[in-house]
Amino acid sequence: MASSTTASEAEMKAAKIPLGWRDQCSALLIPLNVCRKKSFYLPWECEHERHSYEKCQYDDYMRRMKALAKKRLEQTEEEE
């Protein structure tokens, strides 16, 4: 299930994204890395791309934690 923030395997392979970074926000990481390389990793040059990538990472983390909490709640209800 691919979302608008998930790049295809071919895109990630072409961008040489390491396996550990191929997650839900991979489509935002590709332009961030391009901007970083173009600006010689100056931290103030790619702020918009970095913030959008970090927001995606945070939203993905919150989604996973909510799913985990729901699963734990279901397990405790089953045990009772």
Side-chain angles (χ1 to χ4, degrees):
M1 180 167 112
S3 67
S4 63
T5 58
T6 305
S8 69
E9 281 294 321
E11 291 172 330
M12 289 186 279
K13 188 174 181 180
K16 298 179 182 174
I17 295 182
L19 291 175
W21 297 97
R22 295 181 183 193
D23 59 3
Q24 296 292 321
C25 303
S26 58
L28 299 173
L29 182 60
I30 295 171
L32 174 60
N33 285 340
V34 168
C35 179
R36 284 175 171 167
K37 289 175 187 173
K38 188 170 58 172
S39 65
F40 301 105
Y41 288 85
L42 293 172
W44 57 86
E45 289 293 323
C46 305
E47 287 180 351
H48 176 70
E49 290 88 350
R50 182 174 52 90
H51 286 300
S52 61
Y53 176 71
E54 289 175 351
K55 171 91 167 88
C56 178
Q57 289 285 79
Y58 174 76
D59 291 342
D60 184 45
Y61 174 77
M62 294 303 292
R63 179 191 55 79
R64 289 184 285 120
M65 290 301 110
K66 286 180 183 177
L68 181 63
K70 184 178 177 182
K71 185 176 179 180
R72 285 183 181 165
L73 182 64
E74 289 172 355
Q75 287 178 348
T76 56
E77 288 176 353
E78 287 177 4
E79 292 173 359
E80 292 176 353

